[in-house]
Amino acid sequence: ISGFVVSLSVCLSECSRLYLNKKTSDKQPYSKLAGVSLLKPLKGVDSNLINNLETFFELDYPKFEILLCVQDHDDPAIDVCKKLLGKYPNVDARLFIGGKKVGINPKINNLMPGYEGAKYDLVWICDSGIRVKPDTLTDMVNQMTEKVGLVHGLPYVADRQGFAATLEQVYFGTSHPRSYISANVTGIKCVTGMSCLMRKDILDQAGGLITFAQYIAEDYFMAKAIADRGWKFSMATQVAMQNSGSYSVAQFQSRMIRWAKLRINMLPATICEPISECFVASLIISWAAHHVFRWDIMVFFMCHCLAWFISDYIQLRGVQGGAPSFSKLDYAVAWFIRESMTIQIFLSALWDPTISWRTGRYRLRCGGTAEEILDV
């Protein structure tokens, strides 16, 4: 089993190294690339917001528009948007303020005016904390071949300072891509909504964005609607690079609990998820090895965890495209703490079916729908 874990991660690492972070190949003539409407949901300001947004204004792409969507009229993100609109007058960009209440999902509500005003056949929904390279959009559109209806990016994290940044980078470079890449290699539909390029006509066939406003995990249900109509998915060769200026261990933990709650309510099989984590899996396999082969439980447990630890580092290097910016000691500490948090995160998700997201609180229902909890 230990050998299988190492072999799997080595294979995934090689897939990551060969597929991710490679130079974009021109599958279509530059001038004939399809037009894209970029929908950018914004709320609040952090230290990296203006730099992240500016990378979209500097995209090297022949035909695109940027639709900046802000819900509240007093949001400081409006000033950031106006500054960039003034700095880049030749970029086709518009600012939408106020949103449109169509359901309980605040992101969908915020995006609705921009979606209704989009003029191109491809829509790219990309979170505010993402930064891109000049050729990122070219790479994504080149993956949008004839039978593909959705192109998504593997979430990863930019190099930043502090232990919380290291913790996030270790998670998004080890545990997350192991399941994410495995699912996509085997044909299982696994998509996160941080950076998704979709065919607008398919979304319109499903009823448009308003259809997904009843869900908190709108990305899962948008992907499902596209797959149900017979379209394929493709993963971009560039990662969806998260570069939020606001991050902490507590924020990371809260985010993981929220995601776990959503998975449990959408996919009941998620109840088995803990056995895919290192310490639980190693304990079960060690117990089995002891009873079948009479091997020492503690020795086998330690060897299995060590094999997992090494394979995760190989996986991390594959996603990063080389050695990470932090030391091996920092990796070891962050890896151990991340793995130790998994049971607590899972139990917290089971204990309370409500989630806090943006400025609202929501009670999740089985199947993925939710209701907003209003303070009386």
Side-chain angles (χ1 to χ4, degrees):
I1 297 296
S2 299
F4 172 75
V5 172
V6 175
S7 298
L8 175 62
S9 285
V10 168
C11 288
L12 291 176
S13 174
E14 188 64 13
C15 289
S16 302
R17 186 184 67 81
L18 293 175
Y19 187 77
L20 297 174
N21 305 304
K22 67 182 181 181
K23 184 176 175 60
T24 301
S25 58
D26 296 328
K27 294 183 180 180
Q28 304 178 52
Y30 181 81
S31 61
K32 294 185 178 180
L33 290 168
V36 175
S37 296
L38 165 62
L39 293 170
K40 202 72 176 171
L42 302 171
K43 185 173 181 61
V45 172
D46 63 46
S47 58
N48 289 344
L49 178 63
I50 189 166
N51 292 330
N52 290 337
L53 281 180
E54 192 164 14
T55 63
F56 291 88
F57 281 81
E58 296 177 344
L59 283 167
D60 181 13
Y61 195 80
K63 189 167 55 177
F64 73 101
E65 63 174 346
I66 301 176
L67 308 175
L68 303 164
C69 303
V70 183
Q71 182 75 46
D72 301 320
H73 290 268
D74 59 350
D75 195 312
I78 294 174
D79 293 333
V80 173
C81 294
K82 290 181 178 179
K83 182 177 180 180
L84 290 172
L85 290 172
K87 185 176 179 180
Y88 296 91
N90 294 326
V91 174
D92 184 2
R94 288 177 282 165
L95 174 60
F96 296 85
I97 303 173
K100 182 179 180 181
K101 181 73 172 180
V102 293
I104 57 96
N105 187 304
K107 181 177 178 179
I108 296 293
N109 292 337
N110 190 7
L111 289 176
M112 279 302 299
Y115 181 82
E116 292 173 345
K119 63 184 179 183
Y120 293 122
D121 294 333
L122 297 179
V123 292
W124 180 20
I125 298 179
C126 191
D127 287 352
S128 61
I130 300 293
R131 79 178 191 200
V132 293
K133 298 178 181 178
D135 62 344
T136 295
L137 184 51
T138 302
D139 168 53
M140 296 186 76
V141 173
N142 277 327
Q143 305 301 321
M144 186 69 78
T145 53
E146 185 178 348
K147 296 182 179 179
V148 173
L150 182 152
V151 177
H152 56 105
L154 171 70
Y156 191 50
V157 186
D159 295 336
R160 297 170 298 176
Q161 298 298 314
F163 177 74
T166 300
L167 183 64
E168 284 196 350
Q169 208 162 13
V170 166
Y171 170 71
F172 284 103
T174 59
S175 176
H176 191 271
R178 183 168 57 246
S179 57
Y180 199 93
I181 296 175
S182 296
N184 283 281
V185 167
T186 56
I188 298 173
K189 303 299 186 290
C190 183
V191 173
T192 64
M194 296 180 196
S195 178
C196 280
L197 180 70
M198 295 167 282
R199 296 184 186 271
K200 190 172 184 291
D201 61 332
I202 305 176
L203 291 177
D204 289 339
Q205 289 171 21
L209 278 192
I210 192 173
T211 303
F212 310 103
Q214 62 181 313
Y215 308 108
I216 295 297
E218 79 292 331
D219 49 357
Y220 171 82
F221 290 98
M222 283 193 286
K224 184 177 183 299
I226 293 171
D228 289 346
R229 284 162 175 76
W231 292 86
K232 296 181 179 180
F233 297 172
S234 181
M235 191 167 70
T237 65
Q238 294 184 22
V239 298
M241 189 65 77
Q242 303 169 79
N243 189 42
S244 173
S246 175
Y247 53 94
S248 66
V249 174
Q251 285 177 300
F252 170 77
Q253 189 176 35
S254 176
R255 187 186 192 189
M256 294 300 104
I257 292 173
R258 185 175 75 248
W259 285 6
K261 289 179 180 181
L262 291 170
R263 291 196 300 274
I264 290 169
N265 280 271
M266 293 185 303
L267 304 167
T270 302
I271 200 76
C272 300
E273 194 172 275
I275 65 175
S276 68
E277 300 290 354
C278 177
F279 293 156
V280 176
S282 297
L283 190 62
I284 294 172
I285 294 169
S286 299
W287 176 83
H290 173 72
H291 282 272
V292 175
F293 303 109
R294 313 309 301 174
W295 292 345
D296 185 274
I297 290 181
M298 185 54 65
V299 171
F300 193 92
F301 176 82
M302 295 300 293
C303 289
H304 192 270
C305 287
L306 179 60
W308 199 300
F309 171 82
I310 294 172
S311 64
D312 269 356
Y313 187 74
I314 296 171
Q315 174 70 52
L316 174 63
R317 285 180 61 97
V319 177
Q320 174 82 11
S325 60
F326 45 83
S327 68
K328 292 183 175 64
L329 177 60
D330 288 336
Y331 164 73
V333 174
W335 182 89
F336 179 81
I337 290 176
R338 210 295 300 179
E339 293 295 338
S340 301
M341 292 168 65
T342 56
I343 295 300
Q344 183 267 327
I345 287 172
F346 186 76
L347 292 177
S348 296
L350 282 177
W351 182 258
D352 182 9
T354 65
I355 66 169
S356 297
W357 185 41
R358 301 200 176 192
T359 57
R361 291 181 64 241
Y362 307 89
R363 183 176 292 106
L364 298 174
R365 297 174 180 151
C366 185
T369 58
E371 62 176 340
E372 188 171 5
I373 300 173
L374 302 174
D375 295 328
V376 179

